[in-house]
Amino acid sequence: MEHYQELIGVIALTMGVGWASGINLYAALLVLGLAGATGNVQLPAELTVLQDPLVIFAAGAMYLVEFFADKIPGVDTGWDTLHTFIRIPAGAMLAAGAVGDVTPALEIAAGIMGGTMAGASHLTKASTRALINTSPEPFTNWAASISEDLMVLGGLWAMFNHPLLFLCLMVLFIALVIWLLPKLIRLVARILRKVGQWLGLVKNPDEAQAANTMTELPPPSSQTEPPVKPS
């Protein structure tokens, strides 16, 4: 039974650090570092580096920057775009370290799972923020940002204290992403296409079709045919 609970805890930690990294990497690093440094959580040996005061300070400083950048319309989307190349690899690395000192194959498998969870949560967040930014008022950005921070904190708490419940929630999250993410991506693509049309970077479909029709028509004849004489 104890081995079973330990296995559940490792799986929850592997999925949890990846999921949290995709939403707010610096909040996840800060929580993990503080939880380990205060002795509230026993981190795997590969993740004890997060308890270092220098790492905690750096994570806290970057979380402070993201706290404000994440609440400014437009800036949050640029921040998310930049962090596509940071959150997903970091989630994979944290997940690989969460399984501890095991075989390389298991570390690679954990990294793949953590990177996938980070990618799913990051793309869902980035797509949702892009849609929210179509509204000019900033209150929805503030509400979304605060909700995401609370969700990361609550998810990490559940991951440590109720790993089985957390895994059930992760299964629901994966099902929601499979259903929702394609719809969000199509909506974002439609919005970007509209913006491109307003800026003149993308042709309107009706105008493009009319232009194609004009090119397909034969050129008008410059010579008139002579009248046919009656026989």
Side-chain angles (χ1 to χ4, degrees), residues 51-124:
Q51 303 173 187
D52 188 281
L54 184 60
V55 176
I56 294 176
F57 175 79
M62 290 305 299
Y63 172 71
L64 188 63
V65 174
E66 180 160 343
F67 181 84
F68 292 102
D70 212 34
K71 293 174 177 59
I72 303 175
V75 175
D76 56 350
T77 296
W79 185 267
D80 287 336
T81 303
L82 174 64
H83 279 74
T84 301
F85 308 100
I86 301 175
R87 291 172 182 163
I88 298 176
M93 293 174 62
L94 289 173
V99 297
D101 188 13
V102 291
T103 62
L106 188 55
E107 289 185 2
I108 292 174
I112 292 173
M113 183 166 62
T116 301
M117 292 298 297
S121 58
H122 169 72
L123 290 176
T124 303

Side-chain angles (χ1 to χ4, degrees), residues 30 44 62 75 121 127 195 197 205 220:
L30 184 61
M62 290 305 299
V75 175
S121 58
S127 302
V195 172
Q197 291 173 6

Side-chain angles (χ1 to χ4, degrees), residues 165-177:
L165 172 62
F166 179 78
L167 288 179
C168 294
L169 294 175
M170 284 297 97
V171 171
L172 294 177
F173 169 75
I174 293 172
L176 178 63
V177 167

